[in-house]
Amino acid sequence: TKAHYSMAQIYDEVNQIEILYQELFLKMSNFQPEYIKPAKQDVEFIKETINEGHSDILIAEIDNCIIGFILIQELITPPYTCLVEHKYAFIADIIVETKYQHQGIGSALILEAKKWAENRNLDYLELNVLSENIGAITLYEKQGFKDISHTMRYEL
């Protein structure tokens, strides 16, 4: 729970999360520079995610410094007649600071996300990943994620 945090602690965490978002967006822009650009995340978005009841930011820390996080949301499938309704967890963002990658931190964050979803009695976890991000895809596959759809694009 977040009740034990002071406002100063929350703002310090938001600042650390914002820095990691910059790393995430830079990495994504390197994979697809024609569609994604380096940017800062909206601080209000981060605060709302922390305070909102259907989403969380799960963090990994070393010496009180946030070195990685997962932003996770509880969602319901769209109300299309052809879809079976499910409540599920969506991992919107995940990042581990570059110098801490390949040390099991991403796996530990995903494990916490699985627990978060199970505690809410959700049906499954879902995420999107850029096709070029082979390292992330490998991590997700090792964690039991399966490829279920493809987004395709035709350039005009």
Side-chain angles (χ1 to χ4, degrees):
T1 65
K2 298 166 206 72
H4 68 281
Y5 290 121
S6 70
M7 288 308 287
Q9 286 173 309
I10 290 173
Y11 287 121
D12 182 51
E13 287 187 352
V14 167
N15 290 336
Q16 292 180 57
I17 290 167
E18 182 186 20
I19 290 167
L20 284 171
Y21 258 119
Q22 289 178 51
E23 184 175 336
L24 174 64
F25 293 156
L26 177 61
K27 184 176 183 177
M28 292 171 60
S29 72
N30 288 332
F31 285 130
Q32 294 187 357
E34 62 278 8
Y35 298 107
I36 302 170
K37 62 184 178 181
K40 289 185 174 186
Q41 180 58 278
D42 178 23
V43 172
E44 288 307 312
F45 169 78
I46 298 169
K47 290 177 187 175
E48 287 173 20
T49 300
I50 292 170
N51 293 320
E52 207 273 321
H54 293 288
S55 62
D56 269 312
I57 297 178
L58 309 177
I59 60 172
E61 292 182 291
I62 293 179
D63 297 328
N64 294 322
C65 291
I66 298 173
I67 57 150
F69 71 85
I70 283 183
L71 188 151
I72 190 166
Q73 304 166 312
E74 182 178 325
L75 299 176
I76 298 174
T77 49
Y80 302 132
T81 57
C82 65
L83 293 181
V84 176
E85 184 176 299
H86 286 277
K87 288 175 64 179
Y88 65 100
F90 182 73
I91 296 175
D93 296 307
I94 178 172
I95 180 74
V96 173
E97 191 176 334
T98 302
K99 69 180 180 180
Y100 294 104
Q101 291 178 359
H102 308 290
Q103 298 179 29
I105 295 165
S107 295
L109 284 167
I110 291 171
L111 179 62
E112 289 303 312
K114 289 175 181 178
K115 290 178 187 174
W116 186 91
E118 288 170 358
N119 289 338
R120 292 168 174 261
N121 296 315
L122 302 179
D123 297 322
Y124 56 85
L125 255 68
E126 188 170 285
L127 57 78
N128 294 322
V129 60
L130 298 177
S131 299
E132 297 87 350
N133 196 345
I134 303 303
I137 292 168
T138 301
L139 169 66
Y140 304 145
E141 288 174 343
K142 285 181 182 176
Q143 290 297 317
F145 286 81
K146 306 243 182 291
D147 190 3
I148 56 136
S149 70
H150 291 272
T151 300
M152 300 177 76
R153 182 175 288 142
Y154 176 78
E155 299 287 340
L156 298 176

